[in-house]
Amino acid sequence: MFCKGVLMHIPKCETNELNVISFADALAAEGEGSLEYDRQKWLYVPNAYTEYRYILGTKGVNPLICIGINPSTAKPDDLDNTLKSVERTAISNGYDSFIMFNVYAQRATDPKSMDCCFNEYLHNENMEAFRYVLSSYGEGHTPAVWAAWGTIIEKRPYLVKCVKEMVKIGNEYGAQWFSVGKRSVKGHPHHPLYLKNNSPTENFDIISYLETI
């Protein structure tokens, strides 16, 4: 159930029915578009409100990359409560910026509305976006990845497969995985919403976790 007044996004169709823009093309057009926001501050790909989103965050040399399940309605200068919590957590843990990334790029307020059929093309482009984020760290900084998908990982069988590929890609860049807050009975990392202020990051053994789910 969602609170009254919360902006909803219900997918129009399965993403396999959409003409999905590649991450490379969407990134190339990031400085264009009619949506007004500070492009020196924000990274928003695609740069318009669409049925999918690869990246939303602020620009810096040492971001905290938060991994949720799928995007909702947030956009630059209009963050929802989850993204506000992500930003607070990044700042309180000493990062100069944050990136909101997702296991699956389809935009949906209710994860139960996500694709029933896995869109391999959308997934592959999302992984290209993940590589881009991991490669953008400044010299001397190790990619910091915050697992934050909660129990929503159980909503679709393809989501665990997506996470496993993200771990492989993360290994190529020496990524360190973290969680924040109490984990679920099954070991799922806490969702960013309802975290206490100044909650610290904790090392997260992503390999052991994936062996148990």
Side-chain angles (χ1 to χ4, degrees), residues 84-104:
K84 290 176 182 177
S85 179
V86 170
E87 185 173 39
R88 286 195 304 269
T89 301
I91 293 171
S92 67
N93 281 277
Y95 296 91
D96 69 353
S97 51
F98 78 94
I99 296 292
M100 188 68 221
F101 200 80
N102 292 278
V103 176
Y104 197 66

Side-chain angles (χ1 to χ4, degrees), residues 27 30 37-39 41-45 55-59 76 99 132-133:
L27 181 64
E30 197 265 334
Y37 61 92
D38 184 353
R39 285 166 169 77
K41 174 184 178 181
W42 293 98
L43 181 61
Y44 185 45
V45 186
I55 301 172
L56 171 59
T58 51
K59 295 181 178 180
I99 296 292
Y132 172 82
V133 172

Side-chain angles (χ1 to χ4, degrees), residues 3 9 51 62 77 81 87 90 120-121 141 143 158 161 169 206-207 212:
C3 297
H9 185 98
E51 290 291 310
N62 187 32
D77 298 316
N81 288 336
E87 185 173 39
E120 186 170 0
Y121 178 78
H141 295 290
Y158 55 76
K161 173 186 174 182
I169 294 172
I206 187 71
I207 302 301
T212 64

